[in-house]
């Protein structure tokens, strides 16, 4: 009896619902043109942004006409979001570990980027009938577990206001809507990194490159206003000034197009005529298509150069996308742009799934035909007409042939967020149904048979869910309903055929240690050929300051070294009332900048220091290197000349072996100067001073040996002189060997006790971090110099006393001049060395080495080369005897 009553009641209920449905089919709003439905025991709703209509504003005096397919403007890249959701559901249904014995389905509608269509689509998801009837659920399979969407902040807000009534969770894959006093606590979950993380990343990027004079453009909506209101005080306090803050209007109705073009032309002129060379662009997913219109709105022919002198920084929700009519538009001005992107990876199998996607392989997909026709610029034949106009779609066109701004074969950041959102819903369902025996029994018997599943309970599980997705990333939703995720810093490389490549050049990770949260690889960035990284380091021009824009003035610190007003901003806090970010720093206090930073001129922020060392890439370094190689080449030529004429009187008379030893020493002296150029390393620091000391001591010892040889030769000519036994080759070699061994001993003790090593000097120069070689023991360094000076002094003294001896070809006189130059250079070296810092200190030592060595080479050997090469008639024995007499 009870069973019969129950069946009778169910039959009456079913008939009532059928009557309501039949009645609803006769009235109601225009149904959406596009829908994608895949049945399942649990359904995921989706509000996607596939396209939109430009219509006239509603008059509310008559029913607006239905939208026609030919009026639809598709944004082709949005179709990948649909594919990503279908792919994720397919993977879950094939995975026996997430929802075993349960089929997951989905139901998708297009928002058409309008409030009316979005509200209708949301109510259709809740009603599950062909004509929506709010609060009537007559379909026994209406297990709508949650809704994924939307892509725009405004669309997400419209959806959230409806879902809040039913407490159904919404997972947003675009930017989060702005909440106000009338809509607190709407139930949505943000599947992308928080907005605050972007503010921190943009500011870190600007300060890294010292781009302190920028322009900002943002969409003219609540989110764009929040962005401008939030960054203005934060950036200004950090020393970043604004040339302009512009709001890009959005086009909603056909009647607004003329005013939008006029406003866009005005904004375009302000952007591209400004001296600010860095543009920060904030917007929604398809805002880039709007930004691409700006250069075409110019009313001035002289904008060409300035248009190509900007570098663009875009926020995470801006994708490189195009409207259908922009397929062949030039996008060169965005080449080299830096973009913050939602971190993503390509899940296994997604590429193959996309490759096999075509109109004939999809069932229930109401989006693909319009996407296919507009993306490939073709039409499908209409079965009701005899012929079709234009290119015919075969359905076999290849998605990989579409430009990247239309469709990408790998996932984008938004598609990856959708993929994670579907898996988050599945894992939350699994956790809910396994948390209690009753729910577990319902789930694995088949959830569709349960008359009243309590899906509002999913909120508890979604706020603490954590899982590993198929791409290998950990997905974690915190208690605030936000995914804890990092942002990738991406460099856009746009090719002439309008295809593009994204190169990851860094990241900003909120979970990393503070000193590793912002990572950037400058060498991986490909800048546009016209872009110079130095262009935005100059001060803001005074003539560009306009009323209503943020002031560049800010409180100053007292003139104390290293002190600056450092704003202690917590970027991860929610903005306060009026969207203003709260600053916890008392502006009367000053903090010391970290060692790697220095205070700005106004002492209102800390700026990163430059790395400084004498490199081969700067003019000073390459000039000294070329000078060193030039002198080495000259020395080698002189040595070759003496070797070629080694049997001539002038070479023999000046002691060939000592001459060769001196020339080889000078050659090594010039080459050892190269050890001082380049980034200081452990090996070069050990070698540069010791090699210089030993080689130069050998050279000076050679000069001393030649001088003694000349003096002893004349003393030995006197009758009954005892000096004859000292004259010979052995004397010169003994002098060189003994004098050099002493210097080798000093350098050995130096290396054994306190050797030189690479070091960093952060304090000598305010704006630079100096990479240098610490000498280890300064005492030993000066011992090397003092010993070398003693040898030079003795050589000079002996040569000076012997300058008037009638030696052949005035050898002693030439040595006197050379040692005079040598001593003058090194006497001036000491004060110059002590008065300079950083790479210029190294340059002074290199110059002293090259100048003193060049003095020896020029004074001693050039006169002989002159005779050997240009006056060979003087290079004979008769001339030698005549000069001696």
């Amino acid at each position: 009896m009870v069973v019969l009553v129950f069946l009778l009641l169910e039959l009456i209920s079913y008939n009532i619902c059928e009557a309501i449905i039949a009645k609803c089919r006769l009235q109601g709003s225009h149904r959406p043109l596009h829908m994608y439905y895949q049945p399942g025991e649990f359904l995921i709703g989706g509000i996607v942004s596939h396209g939109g209509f430009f219509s006239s504003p509603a008059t509310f005096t008559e029913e607006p006409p239905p939208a026609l397919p030919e009026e639809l403007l598709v944004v082709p890249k949005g179709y990948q979001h649909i594919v990503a959701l279908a792919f994720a559901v397919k993977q879950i249904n094939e995975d026996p570990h997430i929802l075993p014995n349960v089929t997951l389905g989905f139901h998708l509608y297009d928002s058409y980027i309008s409030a009316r269509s979005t509200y209708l689509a949301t109510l259709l998801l809740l009603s599950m009938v062909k004509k929506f009837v709010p609060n009537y659920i007559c379909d026994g399979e209406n297990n709508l577990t949650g809704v994924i969407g939307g892509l725009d902040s405004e669309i997400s807000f419209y959806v959230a206001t409806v879902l809040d009534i039913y407490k159904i969770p919404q997972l947003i894959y675009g930017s989060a809507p702005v909440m106000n006093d009338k809509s607190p606590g709407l139930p949505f979950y943000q599947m992308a990194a928080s907005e605050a993380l972007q503010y921190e990343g943009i500011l870190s990027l600007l300060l890294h490159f010292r781009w302190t004079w920028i322009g900002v453009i943002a969409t003219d909506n609540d989110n764009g206003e929040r962005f401008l209101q939030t960054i203005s005080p934060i950036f200004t306090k950090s020393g970043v000034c604004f040339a302009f803050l512009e709001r890009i209007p959005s086009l909603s109705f056909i009647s607004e197009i003329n005013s939008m073009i006029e406003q866009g032309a005005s904004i375009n002129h302000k952007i591209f005529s400004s001296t600010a060379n860095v543009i920060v662009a904030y917007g929604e997913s398809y805002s880039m298509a709007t930004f691409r219109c700006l250069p075409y709105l110019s009313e001035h022919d002289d904008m060409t150069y300035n248009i190509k002198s900007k570098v663009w920084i875009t926020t995470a929700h801006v994708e490189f996308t195009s409207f259908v009519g922009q397929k062949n538009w030039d996008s060169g001005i965005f080449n080299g742009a830096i973009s913050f992107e939602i971190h993503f990876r390509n899940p296994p199998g997604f590429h193959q799934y996309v490759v096999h996607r075509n109109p004939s392989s999809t069932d229930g997909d109401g989006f693909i035909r319009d996407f296919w026709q507009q993306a490939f610029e073709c039409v499908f034949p209409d079965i009701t007409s005899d012929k079709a106009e234009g290119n015919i779609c075969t359905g076999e066109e290849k998605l990989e042939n579409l430009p990247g701004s239309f469709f990408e074969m790998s996932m984008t950041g938004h598609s990856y967020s959708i993929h994670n959102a579907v898996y988050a819903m599945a894992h939350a369902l699994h956790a809910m149904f396994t948390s209690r025996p009753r729910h577990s029994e319902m789930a694995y018997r088949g959830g569709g048979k349960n008359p009243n599943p309590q899906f509002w309970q999913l909120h508890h599980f979604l706020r603490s869910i954590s899982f590993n997705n198929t791409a290998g990333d950990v997905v974690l939703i915190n208690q605030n309903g936000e995914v804890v995720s990092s942002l990738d810093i991406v460099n856009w490389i746009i090719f002439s055929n309008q295809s593009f490549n994204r190169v990851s050049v860094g990241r900003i990770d909120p979970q990393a240690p503070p000193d590793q949260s912002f990572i950037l690889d400058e060498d991986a960035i490909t800048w546009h050929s016209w872009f110079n990284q130095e262009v935005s380091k100059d001060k803001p021009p005074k003539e560009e300051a306009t009323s209503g824009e943020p002031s560049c003035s800010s409180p100053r610190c007292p003139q104390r070294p290293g002190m600056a007003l450092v704003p202690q901003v917590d970027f991860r806090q929610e903005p306060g009332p009026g969207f203003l970010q709260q600053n916890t720093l008392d502006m009367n206090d000053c903090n010391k900048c970290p060692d790697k930073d220095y205070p700005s001129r106004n002492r209102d922020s800390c700026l990163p220091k430059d790395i400084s060392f004498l490199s081969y890439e700067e003019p000073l370094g390459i000039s000294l290197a070329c000078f060193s190689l030039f002198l080495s080449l000259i020395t080698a030529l002189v040595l070759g000349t003496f070797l070629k004429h080694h049997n001539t009187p002038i070479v023999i008379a000046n002691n060939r072996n000592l001459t060769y030893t001196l020339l080889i020493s000078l050659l090594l002296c010039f080459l050892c100067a190269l050890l001082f150029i380049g980034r200081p390393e452990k090996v070069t620091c050990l070698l540069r001073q010791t090699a210089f000391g030993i080689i130069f001591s050998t050279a000076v010892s050679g000069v001393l040996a030649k001088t003694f040889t000349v003096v002893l030769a004349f003393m030995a000519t006197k009758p009954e002189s005892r000096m004859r036994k000292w004259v010979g080759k052995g004397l010169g070699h003994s002098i060189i060997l003994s004098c050099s061994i002493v210097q080798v001993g000093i350098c050995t003790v130096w290396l054994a006790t306190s050797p030189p090593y690479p070091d960093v000097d952060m304090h000598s120069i305010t704006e630079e971090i100096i990479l240098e070689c610490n000498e280890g023991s300064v005492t030993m360094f000066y011992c090397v110099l003092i010993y070398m000076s003693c040898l030079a002094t003795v050589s000079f003294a002996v040569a000076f006393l012997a300058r008037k001896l009638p030696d052949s070809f005035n050898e002693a006189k030439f040595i006197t001049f050379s040692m005079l130059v040598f001593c003058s250079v090194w006497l001036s070296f000491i004060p110059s060395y002590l008065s300079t810092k950083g790479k210029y200190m190294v340059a002074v030592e290199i110059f002293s080495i090259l100048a003193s060595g060049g003095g020896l080479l020029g004074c001693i050997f050039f006169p002989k080369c002159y005779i050997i090469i240009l006056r060979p008639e003087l290079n004979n024995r008769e001339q030698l005897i005549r000069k001696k007499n």
Side-chain angles (χ1 to χ4, degrees):
M1 185 66 181
V2 175
V3 176
L4 290 175
V5 172
F6 177 78
L7 291 175
L8 182 59
L9 292 174
E10 186 174 0
L11 180 61
I12 293 172
S13 175
Y14 177 78
N15 291 331
I16 292 173
C17 283
E18 284 294 315
I20 292 174
I21 293 171
K23 185 177 181 180
C24 291
R25 288 173 182 166
L26 299 177
Q27 62 185 8
S29 302
H30 306 298
R31 294 187 68 250
L33 294 176
H34 303 89
M35 180 187 73
Y36 191 178
Y37 176 70
Q38 180 176 304
E41 293 164 326
F42 297 111
L43 286 177
I44 293 177
I47 303 295
V48 298
S49 295
H50 174 244
F53 297 96
F54 291 128
S55 59
S56 300
T59 61
F60 298 102
T61 59
E62 59 182 2
E63 183 181 5
L68 300 177
E70 56 267 21
E71 297 174 350
L72 176 69
L73 177 63
V74 169
V75 181
K77 206 158 192 174
Y79 182 69
Q80 196 199 75
H81 306 160
I82 300 169
V83 176
L85 192 148
F87 173 72
V89 171
K90 175 179 178 292
Q91 279 192 315
I92 291 171
N93 287 333
E94 294 173 353
D95 189 340
H97 303 292
I98 301 179
L99 292 174
N101 303 322
V102 173
T103 303
L104 195 63
F106 57 84
H107 200 175
L108 308 182
Y109 285 106
D110 198 343
S111 69
Y112 299 118
I113 321 177
S114 73
R116 182 174 63 183
S117 298
T118 302
Y119 282 125
L120 173 60
T122 308
L123 291 171
L124 282 173
L125 290 176
L126 292 166
S127 302
M128 287 300 296
V129 290
K130 294 183 179 179
K131 297 294 182 178
F132 75 90
V133 183
N135 299 324
Y136 281 88
I137 301 176
C138 301
D139 193 334
E141 294 186 356
N142 180 33
N143 288 329
L144 183 66
T145 60
V147 175
I148 296 177
L151 179 59
D152 297 345
S153 58
E154 291 184 353
I155 299 301
S156 300
F157 180 79
Y158 302 148
V159 175
T161 54
V162 177
L163 295 183
D164 185 39
I165 301 172
Y166 302 91
K167 305 306 177 186
I168 292 177
Q170 177 190 8
L171 283 74
I172 296 173
Y173 60 93
S175 53
V178 176
M179 298 294 101
N180 51 47
D181 296 336
K182 296 181 181 180
S183 58
L186 293 179
F188 62 81
Y189 300 86
Q190 189 173 351
M191 299 306 297
S194 66
E195 295 277 336
L197 189 62
Q198 296 190 65
Y199 308 152
E200 181 179 358
I202 295 172
L203 181 58
S204 297
L205 182 68
L206 295 175
L207 295 181
H208 177 84
F209 287 111
R210 298 188 191 177
W211 292 335
T212 56
W213 182 236
I214 67 171
V216 179
I217 59 176
T219 51
D220 192 7
N221 56 19
D222 288 342
N223 266 31
E225 192 63 30
R226 175 177 63 181
F227 176 76
L228 296 177
Q229 294 289 345
T230 304
I231 68 167
S232 295
I234 297 173
F235 283 23
T236 302
K237 289 171 185 175
S238 297
V240 178
C241 296
F242 302 94
F244 55 83
L245 298 173
E246 289 295 332
R247 296 160 180 83
I248 304 295
S250 58
L251 179 63
S252 301
F253 303 108
I254 293 177
S255 59
E256 299 173 351
I257 191 167
N258 291 331
S259 62
M260 181 184 176
I261 291 175
E262 293 177 2
Q263 189 174 354
S266 174
I267 294 173
N268 170 77
H269 177 70
K270 179 171 287 190
I271 291 174
F272 294 115
S273 63
S274 170
T275 57
N277 296 291
V278 177
I279 309 297
V280 176
Y282 176 91
E284 305 288 358
S285 171
Y286 45 79
S287 295
M288 180 53 66
T290 305
F291 298 155
R292 293 179 65 189
C293 296
L294 290 175
Y296 294 88
L297 299 177
S298 176
E299 299 176 351
H300 303 266
D301 296 333
D302 59 347
M303 289 289 121
T304 304
Y305 177 78
N306 283 338
I307 285 177
K308 292 186 177 181
S309 60
K310 313 293 180 185
V311 60
W312 293 77
I313 301 174
T314 64
T315 52
H317 298 296
V318 177
E319 290 188 299
F320 188 75
T321 187
S322 301
F323 295 129
V324 172
Q326 296 175 313
K327 185 174 183 178
N328 297 318
W329 284 23
D330 183 17
S331 304
I333 65 169
F334 300 106
N335 185 29
I338 304 296
S339 174
F340 289 85
E341 288 196 354
I342 302 167
H343 171 74
F344 68 91
R345 293 187 186 181
N346 219 30
F350 180 74
H351 185 272
Q352 286 300 110
Y353 183 79
V354 174
V355 166
H356 295 97
R357 192 88 177 175
N358 59 63
S360 60
S361 67
T362 56
D363 185 20
D365 186 352
F367 295 88
I368 192 169
R369 284 177 62 90
D370 282 327
F371 157 74
W372 207 268
Q373 289 182 136
Q374 296 203 26
F376 289 106
E377 298 178 308
C378 62
V379 293
F380 286 103
D382 190 347
I383 58 176
T384 62
S385 60
D386 296 333
K387 61 180 180 178
E389 297 181 358
N391 297 326
I392 303 299
C393 296
T394 64
E396 299 301 324
E397 290 84 2
K398 302 298 182 183
L399 290 173
E400 57 262 35
N401 294 335
L402 292 174
S405 60
F406 270 25
F407 194 84
E408 293 186 58
M409 300 302 290
S410 60
M411 273 196 175
T412 63
H414 288 109
S415 298
Y416 191 66
S417 297
I418 293 173
H419 183 270
N420 288 336
V422 175
Y423 268 86
M425 289 294 301
H427 281 280
L429 281 170
H430 180 85
M432 186 178 77
F433 292 141
T434 55
S435 62
R436 298 177 186 149
R438 177 171 61 85
H439 287 154
S440 178
E441 182 182 358
M442 178 196 73
Y444 299 120
R445 275 197 329 234
K449 299 177 182 178
N450 187 280
N452 188 27
Q454 303 296 316
F455 290 116
W456 56 268
Q457 297 177 353
L458 281 174
H459 290 288
H460 169 73
F461 298 96
L462 282 171
R463 278 195 171 87
S464 58
I465 197 167
S466 177
F467 60 91
N468 292 328
N469 65 13
T470 57
D473 286 333
V474 177
V475 180
L476 170 64
I477 301 179
N478 60 24
Q479 291 295 323
N480 296 325
E482 297 177 342
V483 165
V484 181
S485 176
S486 61
L487 288 174
D488 293 332
I489 304 175
V490 176
N491 181 211
W492 288 356
I493 302 175
I494 301 175
F495 303 102
S496 57
N497 62 356
Q498 303 311 305
S499 62
F500 75 98
N501 185 27
R502 51 165 62 91
V503 179
S504 179
V505 297
R507 76 171 189 273
I508 179 165
D509 188 354
Q511 295 179 295
D515 59 334
Q516 300 177 14
S517 60
F518 178 80
I519 296 177
L520 184 68
D521 183 5
E522 287 188 50
D523 296 333
I525 300 177
T526 301
W527 302 106
H528 198 291
S529 57
W530 45 256
F531 179 61
N532 178 2
Q533 297 181 50
E534 302 293 328
V535 294
S536 295
K537 291 184 181 179
D538 52 349
K539 293 182 292 186
K542 294 181 180 179
E543 62 270 16
E544 287 214 19
T546 59
S547 60
E549 294 182 354
S551 172
C552 292
S553 62
S554 56
R556 299 192 179 189
C557 271
Q559 297 298 317
R560 288 179 289 177
M563 302 297 288
L565 286 164
V566 186
Q568 304 297 319
V569 178
D570 185 358
F571 287 94
R572 297 174 179 83
Q573 291 181 353
E574 286 296 322
F579 309 133
L580 291 178
Q581 195 81 23
Q582 300 301 310
N583 191 324
T584 61
L585 179 68
D586 183 353
M587 296 308 291
N588 294 322
D589 295 336
C590 289
N591 293 331
K592 186 173 179 61
C593 291
D595 287 341
K596 63 180 181 180
D597 298 334
Y598 70 96
S600 61
R601 178 172 297 182
N602 293 332
R603 295 183 176 271
D604 54 3
S605 64
C606 292
L607 304 177
K609 294 181 179 180
D610 286 333
I611 303 297
S612 175
F613 61 92
L614 187 62
S615 70
Y616 289 100
E617 298 176 357
E618 56 184 309
L620 179 60
I622 193 64
S623 300
L624 291 173
C626 291
F627 192 28
S628 172
L629 293 175
F630 174 74
L631 291 176
S632 301
L633 177 63
I634 296 298
T635 306
L637 292 176
V638 172
L639 178 60
T641 301
F642 273 69
L643 288 173
K644 182 178 180 181
H645 301 86
H646 68 283
N647 288 325
T648 58
I650 194 171
V651 177
I652 297 173
N654 288 283
N655 198 324
R656 285 180 295 190
N657 292 335
L658 291 180
T659 299
Y660 298 155
T661 302
L662 180 56
L663 284 173
I664 293 173
S665 300
L666 290 175
L667 176 62
L668 295 177
C669 286
F670 296 138
L671 292 177
C672 82
L674 299 176
L675 292 173
F676 292 80
I677 306 175
R679 191 183 189 94
E681 303 291 346
K682 185 175 181 179
V683 175
T684 54
C685 286
L686 288 173
L687 290 179
R688 59 168 59 171
Q689 298 293 2
T690 53
F692 151 69
I694 294 173
I695 294 172
F696 244 98
S697 296
T698 304
V700 177
S701 300
V703 175
L704 182 61
K706 289 177 71 68
T707 309
F708 266 107
T709 301
V710 171
V711 173
L712 290 177
F714 280 96
M715 292 180 66
T717 57
K718 296 180 180 180
E720 299 180 356
S721 176
R722 298 181 179 179
M723 295 297 176
R724 293 182 180 182
K725 61 181 179 179
W726 295 100
V727 177
K729 297 180 180 179
L731 175 64
H733 295 160
S734 300
I735 293 174
I736 293 176
L737 185 61
S738 58
C739 293
S740 301
I741 286 178
V742 175
Q743 189 71 286
V744 170
I746 295 174
C747 292
T748 302
V749 173
W750 185 8
L751 294 178
T753 55
S754 182
Y757 59 89
D759 197 7
V760 178
D761 182 3
M762 295 187 175
H763 306 291
S764 295
I765 300 179
T766 304
E767 299 181 4
E768 294 180 357
I769 296 177
I770 302 172
L771 302 185
E772 62 180 6
C773 284
N774 191 309
E775 307 304 347
S777 174
V778 179
T779 302
M780 298 304 297
F781 172 63
Y782 283 108
C783 285
V784 170
L785 292 181
I786 290 171
Y787 178 73
M788 190 173 64
S789 301
C790 291
L791 290 178
T793 303
V794 173
S795 298
F796 174 71
V798 174
F800 181 79
L801 294 175
R803 70 188 186 283
K804 293 185 179 181
L805 293 176
D807 59 317
S808 58
F809 303 106
N810 295 319
E811 175 79 359
K813 187 177 295 185
F814 294 148
I815 292 176
T816 303
F817 288 139
S818 67
M819 295 314 299
L820 181 62
V821 173
F822 185 91
C823 293
S824 301
V825 169
W826 286 104
L827 284 175
S828 61
F829 162 76
I830 300 298
S832 301
Y833 186 80
L834 295 177
S835 61
T836 54
K837 297 178 181 179
K839 59 185 177 183
Y840 299 104
M841 179 185 290
V842 179
V844 167
E845 186 169 359
I846 295 174
F847 179 79
S848 300
I849 293 172
L850 298 180
S852 58
L856 293 178
L857 179 66
C859 294
I860 296 177
F861 293 102
F862 280 6
K864 299 178 177 60
C865 289
Y866 170 77
I867 293 176
I868 293 174
I869 298 172
L870 300 178
R871 301 292 301 275
E873 68 276 7
L874 299 179
N875 190 9
N876 55 68
R877 185 177 178 81
E878 291 75 13
Q879 181 67 23
L880 181 65
I881 295 174
R882 186 181 66 81
K883 289 183 68 68
K884 283 186 177 183
N885 293 332

